[in-house]
Amino acid sequence: MKRLVIMGPAGAGKGTLADMIKNEFRLAHIATGNMFRTEIAEKSDLGVAAKEYIDGGKLVPDELTIAMVMKRMSKDDCVNGYLLDGFPRTLKQAEALSAALAAKGEDIQMAINLCVDPEVLGKRIEGRRICTSCDAIYHMTNTPPQEEGICDRCGSRLVQRSDDTREQLAVRLKEYEEVTKPVLAYYQKLGIVIDIDASATPDEVWQEVEGHLAGLE
Ligand code: AMP
């Protein structure tokens, strides 16, 4: 049962790599950004509360985020392993996750840290388009869909995320440095971080990560 976390700043390729890992190892993919975007589209109470933070490039408060993840992790599809993508992003979230897992005699086995030059992040963010229905991720020049604006996988419309602008990216990177970097240090102390050069293509990144994961139970 694999229990994994993917970390890295906005545009590092967390979602793309998560897709590849979950398909290969049949893990539940728990992507907090996707979950919030679904809540926003559904105009749920959580979505309404989260929207103002997300549109400003800020993190959603811990209480809301932790409660959402804990509920998701109690679902049946998590019993064979899961991949947390975009969570934890604060020390408080990391500690809440560790405590919840420890209560079940479990822990996170590996934190995959995607490292990318900030210049590359800007180009990736500006060209990124996502599917409104299945969360597939494209890049207008690097990995374009076959038909412009349409998802190859499900035929739904592709959109640019409201927070994928240069201005919002600057706020998100600052939040990453100040608030999320301590999570990396927390997992480094536990000796479970693997650093991956994620400026390469998705296939090259996958080659590097696959070897590390194959060795886990
Ligand atoms: P992402 O799709 O992972 O880039 O997340 C998009 C946005 O959702 C982030 O910029 C935050 O505003 C919010 N978000 C996602 N995950 C978290 C989290 N673990 N804690 C707080 N806010 C989050």
Side-chain angles (χ1 to χ4, degrees), residues 66 87-99 183 186-187:
I66 293 168
F87 182 94
R89 261 175 158 112
T90 68
L91 209 45
K92 200 167 164 202
Q93 292 176 11
E95 286 165 357
L97 176 64
S98 292
V183 177
Y186 176 86
Y187 286 136

Side-chain angles (χ1 to χ4, degrees), residues 16 25 51-52 60 76 85 107 150 168:
T16 302
F25 297 105
K51 186 172 169 33
E52 60 173 305
V60 178
D76 288 349
D85 163 5
D107 57 6
I150 304 291
Q168 250 67 324

Side-chain angles (χ1 to χ4, degrees), residues 24-77:
E24 177 74 17
F25 297 105
R26 304 267 145 228
L27 302 179
H29 179 200
I30 304 178
T32 41
N34 293 350
M35 291 166 77
F36 282 131
R37 281 185 287 279
T38 302
E39 298 284 342
I40 290 171
E42 289 171 353
K43 297 194 168 63
S44 70
D45 289 348
L46 176 58
V48 171
K51 186 172 169 33
E52 60 173 305
Y53 296 100
I54 293 181
D55 283 350
K58 301 297 245 180
L59 293 180
V60 178
D62 283 332
E63 295 70 28
L64 296 177
T65 308
I66 293 168
M68 177 178 78
V69 172
M70 292 304 145
K71 191 169 158 204
R72 175 68 186 84
M73 288 181 77
S74 66
K75 293 213 168 141
D76 288 349
D77 66 334

